[in-house]
Amino acid sequence: MTTSTPLPKGELIDQRGRSELEFLQALRAGLTPLRTQVRERVDATGVLDTPYEDIAELRTRVDGVVDELQAHRLIGAILSWSRGVATPRAAAAFDRKRSEFKLLATPVSEVVDYIGDDVPRYWDYEFHGTAGGWDGHPHMGFIHHEMIYHYLLKKIFPGDLFAQRGMIAAAAPADTYDNIVDLGCGTGQYTLKIAETYPKAKITAVDLSRTQVQYALRRAEDAGVTITGVHAAAEDTGLPAGEADLVTSFILLHEVPPHTIRQVFVEAFRLLKPGGHVHFSDVAPYSERSPYQAWLDDWDAAHGNEPWWRTSATIDLVQAAADAGFVDINQAAHGPESYPWVTTACKPE
């Protein structure tokens, strides 16, 4: 079984939509020389030559030497504008060919709904500058995966954009699993990598976005993979206790406030059988990044509608796992500059 080659549904977008999205991609690509100017200014001042106490102090120190730099201000303006218009333009392209796209976006199976409209307060936010939020359009999952990813992210990050997800799935402690819960599944990028890695496992994909998990289910159907799609919060899934042997996620924790991160560990513990594993991948702690990259992470998060990135990059996940009852807690870097950063632990026998 292979699920690595998605159907080229995004190729059906009309010429206007392609032009608008490819213009945004080219605009983002054009920031590279400006970012080089910023880095050169930072290096020339020596502002990173001495250790910093915390991320707030680092931000103050570096911002002080780049805020007046025209290139830096232009980067911020372009990122803010492009993030604000990308989703509306992609949604408009969908609506111009709604009858065709809707057929490609709708799964055969129904998503199991354990939460309805009773969503937590933190969900009322336009993550990543997504206009209207992740459910701001009835088919936002399709729009983001087949349009935003295809025409923006895949061109900004060439190659297999989702290869890291396969690497993280394979890095779970056991060679095989029977029952896996993927929390914060989005449109199923990580879910399908899990299916490739553990083809005999029962897989349940959970997301707080109806439209994202709906399209994850459709993508799985297109790939010939059986999953159960569940609309629920990662911290309160509604799933039965003690049945999973792996509860995992890829880049979920930085999308929720710190008290919710702790609740997610508690929920993972509840879902697992004794001896089961939790395997959470997320952004790297600032302490594991170079000073320049830590500053850039924090600055970009603040300008990219990432309200809980800083708390996720500073919270003690080992303590959160221990407080939930986990043992044998380990953390490891799985890529450059310690990203992705993976926390793995076991529920006691």
Side-chain angles (χ1 to χ4, degrees):
M1 176 186 65
T2 179
T3 61
S4 60
T5 305
L7 295 177
K9 300 172 185 176
E11 296 294 350
L12 298 177
I13 190 172
D14 62 15
Q15 183 176 357
R16 175 181 173 183
R18 289 196 304 272
S19 298
E20 290 178 338
L21 292 173
E22 289 174 359
F23 169 77
L24 294 176
Q25 183 275 326
L27 191 64
R28 293 281 293 272
L31 296 180
T32 300
L34 299 180
R35 290 189 182 277
T36 299
Q37 290 182 39
V38 173
R39 180 62 189 266
E40 289 173 348
R41 168 65 68 87
V42 171
D43 289 344
T45 62
V47 71
L48 298 178
D49 291 347
T50 55
Y52 64 94
E53 294 181 3
D54 55 39
I55 192 62
E57 189 264 329
L58 179 66
R59 277 293 304 277
T60 298
R61 188 193 301 181
V62 180
D63 288 354
V65 302
V66 299
D67 276 351
E68 296 305 313
L69 189 64
Q70 187 176 19
H72 183 62
R73 296 199 307 272
L74 187 56
I75 291 169
I78 290 174
L79 287 177
S80 178
W81 179 79
S82 63
R83 285 166 173 158
V85 302
T87 305
R89 292 187 179 190
F94 180 98
D95 289 335
R96 288 195 296 271
K97 300 184 70 172
R98 175 179 285 266
S99 60
E100 296 175 61
F101 283 141
K102 186 175 180 180
L103 291 174
L104 299 173
T106 306
V108 174
S109 304
E110 292 291 330
V111 171
V112 180
D113 196 331
Y114 284 146
I115 195 169
D117 294 325
D118 189 22
V119 296
R121 185 173 64 178
Y122 68 78
W123 188 241
D124 186 23
Y125 192 83
E126 293 185 349
F127 296 92
H128 304 278
T130 303
W134 287 125
D135 286 325
H137 186 282
H139 292 285
M140 191 69 87
F142 179 95
I143 288 168
H144 266 267
H145 191 86
E146 302 298 345
M147 298 178 178
I148 300 297
Y149 290 152
H150 185 80
Y151 285 97
L152 295 181
L153 295 185
K154 285 183 69 175
K155 294 180 180 180
I156 294 172
F157 305 102
D160 185 350
L161 180 60
F162 306 128
Q164 283 181 327
R165 288 160 170 81
M167 176 184 67
I168 297 305
D175 292 331
T176 61
Y177 290 100
D178 296 323
N179 190 322
I180 301 174
V181 178
D182 176 18
L183 299 177
C185 67
T187 57
Q189 300 99 311
Y190 183 49
T191 314
L192 293 183
K193 295 296 186 181
I194 293 170
E196 287 184 0
T197 308
Y198 308 103
K200 296 182 180 180
K202 172 188 175 184
I203 299 173
T204 303
V206 180
D207 204 279
L208 194 47
S209 166
R210 278 194 187 97
T211 65
Q212 300 288 310
V213 71
Q214 181 185 53
Y215 195 54
L217 184 55
R218 174 56 192 262
R219 291 186 65 229
E221 291 173 351
D222 289 342
V225 173
T226 299
I227 69 168
T228 300
V230 174
H231 175 222
E235 67 272 24
D236 185 14
T237 63
L239 296 172
E243 292 190 358
D245 49 10
L246 176 65
V247 176
T248 186
S249 71
F250 190 93
I251 316 302
L252 163 69
L253 301 181
H254 77 279
E255 304 286 19
V256 298
H259 70 276
T260 303
I261 291 176
R262 298 183 181 94
Q263 291 170 354
V264 170
F265 275 97
V266 171
E267 177 68 354
F269 190 89
R270 185 188 72 82
L271 293 173
L272 284 167
K273 301 173 183 177
H277 298 127
V278 66
H279 186 62
F280 287 161
S281 169
D282 217 273
V283 301
Y286 289 141
S287 59
E288 298 293 326
R289 307 284 263 177
S290 66
Y292 181 81
Q293 193 62 54
W295 167 79
L296 184 60
D297 285 353
D298 198 75
W299 180 87
D300 196 63
H303 290 77
N305 293 65
E306 295 276 14
W308 295 290
W309 185 296
R310 178 182 287 191
T311 53
S312 183
T314 54
I315 192 172
D316 187 345
L317 295 180
V318 171
Q319 189 63 55
D323 290 345
F326 287 103
V327 296
D328 299 331
I329 305 165
N330 294 290
Q331 292 188 307
H334 287 264
E337 286 271 7
S338 298
Y339 172 84
W341 183 255
V342 181
T343 303
T344 303
C346 180
K347 181 173 180 175
E349 293 283 357

